[in-house]
Structures are given as C-alpha cells and as structure tokens.
Amino acid sequence: MNVLIIGSGGREHALAWKLSRSPRKPKLLVLPGSDAMAALAERLAGDPLDPAAVVKACKERDIDLAVIGPEAPLAAGLADALRGSGIKVFGPGQAAARLESSKAFAKDFLKRHGVPTAAFEVYDDPSRASDAAAELPLPLVVKADGLAAGKGVRVCKTRREAIAAVQDLMLGGTLGDAGKRVVIEECLQGPELSVLVLLDGKTYGLLPAARDHKRLLDGGEGPNTGGMGAYSPVPDADATLLARVDREVLRPVVAGLKSDGFDYRGVLYVGLMLTPQGPKVLEFNVRFGDPETQAILPLLESDFLDVVEACAQGTLERVNLETKPGSSLCVVLASQGYPDKPATGRRITGLDSEPDPNVVVFHAGTRKTTEGWVTSGGRVLNVVATGADLAQAREKAYAAAARIDFEGMQYRRDVAIGVAVRGG
Ligand code: AMP
Ligand code: GLY
C-alpha cells in the first residue's frame, strides 16, 4: 500500500514514524517532507497548496491513501481534489475546513448546534469593532477571522490593548486578509484541554486527551507560540470530565457536522477551556494538533495505518482504538529569537546519541548538511518520552533534551508541572 503524507513539520515526522511501525509495512511517501523524514519515507517535490499538482503526483506514484498534516492544504481544497480522483484521504474537504479557516464560521456552527463556547460577536466594520472594544467588559479576546498560524488571538486586559488589537488587525493589516473580519469574545478562565476526535463521516472515536503549553516561557509567561510542549493523558481530565465533554460538546458537534451535510473524514481537534461552568470550545482545528500529536501517537497501541485508513473509507466502527498504559510528554526545543525572528543555520549536536528506547526525537525545523544537522526553523525538535507515569516520562524527556544542544536553544522546563490547574 502506498501512503502519502502531506507536510514537513514535527507533526508529520510523528505521523510518518507511527505509520512506519505498522505491521502492514506500507510504502511511505511524503510531500514535501523534510531531511529527517527521508529516513522513513520517499520525498516528493511539490507544493501542497496546488491540488492539481498533488493529484498528478499521486497518480504517477499510485498513491492509495493520503494523510494531510497541515491546515492550509485542507483550506485550499486538497482533500476534495484527491478524493475526486479516487484516492482515499484522511482530512476534511474545504467546506468543513472552514471550521478552522474562519473563526466566525466556527462560532456560528457552535451557536447553531448549542455547543458551549464564549459569548461573541463578529465584526466586518472597523469602527463598530472599535466601539465594541471600547465598551465590552474586560478582559476580552479579539480574534482574526482567518488562518494566522497561531498569531491571530489577542487576549486583552486593558481598553488600550483591546482597541489597539482591533486597529492592528482590521486597519493595520498585520495579518493581511485574515484580520479584515474579527470575532470579539468573552475571556474564559480555566485550564485548557486538547481533544482529538477521529471521524469517518459516520461515527467517531477519541485519542487520549492532551494538554499543550502555548506560551514561550515557564509559568505560562511570554508570547503565544505554536506550542512549546505537551503531555498525554491529562490527569485532571478524568473519566467523569471526559464523559461530560462527550455529552455536552462532542456529541452535538458530531451531530452538527452531519446535519450541516459535512462528510468529515479525518481528525477534528477540539480546543477546550475547562471553566467553572463546564467545558467550553475555544477553537477547532481540522487536523492533528502540533505538538499534541507528537505526545499522543507513541501511546497508541492500535495499528495507526488501520485507523487512518478506516477514517478515510468510513469503517472506523470496525477499528478498536486501543492505547498503551502510561504517559507521554513532548518538550519542544526552539531557536533563539522564536517566535518573532528565529535564528537558523545553527549546528545541532547530540542527536545521534539517544540511548533510551522510550525516547524519540521528531524534527520540526532541521536540515541535514555535510557538517551534520542544523536548525532551519522556529521550533526545531520535539523530544518525546513515554513512561509508566507523567513524572517518569518527564524525567526521560528532559534527560534526552539535555543531551541535545545548539546555540541559543530555548525550551520550557515546566512541561506538565503545575499546569494541571493553571493552564498556560
Ligand atoms: P485559539 O487559536 O482560538 O485556540 O486561541 C489560542 C489561545 O488563545 C487559546 O489556546 C487560549 O489560550 C487563548 N484563548 C482563545 N480564546 C480565548 C477565550 N475566549 N478566553 C481566554 N483565552 C482564550
Ligand atoms: N497545538 C495547537 C495547534 O496545533 O494548533
């Protein structure tokens, strides 16, 4: 079986790694992939945002199944184009991808289907939005409607910040068209939880819940990033809480997808805030979370190829989603200057010396040169360890992180510490 993975980051490295462990021994290909992924999969050149070109490449290489990693190709309609040409696809079509590519669309979906979420209003007119920012209770949250690679959300504690956020997004054009429309919403409090729901158009299944650490610095300080670490499962998200999430959030969401006519095949990432009033949806992503996926996949016992293929072909009901006991934790090693101006081209040492079989290092932003590995992006490496419990997974992951080095390397020392109640 020929399986193509679309993407090139740490999440896609983890997807390729897990698929490569399938007893069915698929031939893996990746477009465009990374130097690190080349050890697991054959690289194809091409632009994931050009659906016609990807379809052509798939036809030439007899691809049976495509697994789409990032949101941008999904928003560009890649899943529809591939499905239309008879290829099995893990990833929703363009219409359902709007749940991520338009926050206004996602909020409207949540409201129509009675799913708990922050109170909100959508604004196309900058002067009406500025008036709202000047009047609504503080703190408040201003969100760019469109895709913003993690930079579209401003949590504003002061009037000045709120008005500046509206002006920056709607008039300053910081995020281009993505910020022309904004959502202004109530600020929620509580720890966050990432729930990854597998869907095949008929039924759904859950992966173990995870928690991301979005801020750059220890204690939830510093700017928001793509994610600096994650762990799974989440001790405070016990069976009672997960049953409540299922009842109040997931069932109405899945029923809403069906009644709105979406044949959703892939994974829906439901970002929740666990507020004193109960779980509320912060956001949807229409793809695997990054870095949550790097932490979750090592815990999956079932054959991952069976799982993604079942989602793509509508047979998820026949798959037993089994997870291993224990915990998993991912620490992100980032470049100097990340997230604003990451330094690249720094030589990485210590990558070839990992002695612990329960540790795996996924490459997010690296390049292989004749001199060895060098940094090539903001988030550089994901060090993932599994253990009997969270403390053991933590210890192994940090021991492994300490063996790796590059100039200016930064990482959080507090992944899975004190965050169970604080979030951040
Ligand atoms: P999003 O991309 O919508 O998940 O937002 C990114 C991050 O901003 C979330 O993970 C939260 O930490 C924060 N955030 C988003 N919406 C809210 C909200 N209504 N109240 C408080 N924090 C929020
Ligand atoms: N970890 C959050 C995201 O994937 O967007």
Side-chain angles (χ1 to χ4, degrees), residues 71-310:
E71 61 276 17
L74 294 164
L78 180 58
D80 308 274
L82 290 169
R83 239 174 238 126
S85 71
I87 294 162
K88 286 185 274 194
V89 183
F90 182 93
Q94 189 171 39
R98 288 190 75 207
L99 289 169
E100 178 167 358
S101 64
S102 168
K103 297 222 183 262
F105 179 83
K107 294 294 287 192
D108 173 67
F109 175 91
L110 291 163
K111 193 173 169 185
R112 281 188 297 109
H113 297 293
V115 183
T117 189
F120 73 101
E121 197 76 54
V122 178
Y123 298 90
D124 288 298
D125 174 4
S127 73
R128 276 193 59 233
S130 297
D131 289 349
E135 285 160 17
L136 288 170
L138 292 169
L140 56 78
V141 183
V142 182
K143 297 184 171 183
D145 179 54
L147 289 181
K151 299 196 181 82
V153 176
R154 312 280 162 85
V155 179
C156 308
K157 295 198 178 81
T158 65
R159 277 297 154 221
R160 195 188 238 207
E161 281 173 336
I163 294 167
V166 166
Q167 294 193 335
D168 184 37
L169 292 172
M170 297 186 89
L171 301 171
T174 322
L175 297 174
D177 283 350
K180 284 209 167 126
R181 166 183 281 184
V182 299
V183 174
I184 300 186
E185 66 181 34
E186 166 201 12
C187 186
L188 303 175
Q189 308 289 343
E192 293 184 34
L193 189 70
S194 306
V195 178
L196 272 63
V197 187
L198 296 162
L199 293 134
D200 71 343
K202 300 186 185 104
T203 180
Y204 68 103
L206 295 192
L207 289 169
R211 182 166 285 145
D212 187 9
H213 292 51
K214 287 215 165 72
R215 302 290 190 127
L216 181 68
L217 305 173
D218 284 0
E221 301 291 333
N224 255 326
T225 70
M228 294 297 292
Y231 59 96
S232 177
V234 178
D236 55 288
D238 57 14
T240 311
L241 179 89
L242 291 173
R244 184 167 183 191
V245 167
D246 187 47
R247 196 170 60 242
E248 294 177 11
V249 176
L250 305 181
R251 282 189 220 172
V253 165
V254 173
L257 289 172
K258 261 190 212 157
S259 66
D260 285 0
F262 297 125
D263 181 17
Y264 196 116
R265 296 168 188 233
V267 62
L268 181 68
Y269 169 122
V270 184
L272 295 168
M273 196 160 261
L274 306 175
T275 78
Q277 292 76 40
K280 296 192 182 188
V281 175
L282 289 176
E283 65 160 343
F284 287 125
N285 294 319
V286 295
R287 36 94 191 155
F288 281 109
D290 187 344
E292 288 93 330
T293 302
Q294 291 87 311
I296 292 171
L297 288 182
L299 292 175
L300 186 68
E301 179 76 60
S302 314
D303 180 358
F304 189 49
L305 178 57
D306 286 350
V307 174
V308 291
E309 186 183 33

Side-chain angles (χ1 to χ4, degrees), residues 369-401:
T369 69
T370 45
E371 321 268 274
W373 293 102
V374 299
T375 68
S376 68
R379 290 189 290 176
V380 178
L381 296 163
N382 307 132
V383 181
V384 181
T386 50
D389 56 23
L390 211 41
Q392 204 185 83
R394 239 189 124 256
E395 199 177 303
K396 287 169 192 266
Y398 277 104

Side-chain angles (χ1 to χ4, degrees), residues 314-398:
T315 55
L316 190 56
E317 206 174 46
R318 288 192 227 143
V319 172
N320 225 350
L321 272 178
E322 281 180 61
T323 47
K324 298 179 183 160
S327 295
S328 174
L329 185 140
C330 169
V331 185
V332 173
L333 308 183
S335 291
Q336 183 171 13
Y338 177 74
D340 295 331
K341 284 203 189 81
T344 56
R346 304 266 166 93
R347 175 126 195 253
I348 307 169
T349 55
L351 270 178
D352 303 320
S353 58
E354 183 45 58
D356 189 332
N358 296 307
V359 171
V360 51
V361 179
F362 299 120
H363 291 231
T366 68
R367 216 159 37 82
K368 197 171 193 173
T369 69
T370 45
E371 321 268 274
W373 293 102
V374 299
T375 68
S376 68
R379 290 189 290 176
V380 178
L381 296 163
N382 307 132
V383 181
V384 181
T386 50
D389 56 23
L390 211 41
Q392 204 185 83
R394 239 189 124 256
E395 199 177 303
K396 287 169 192 266
Y398 277 104

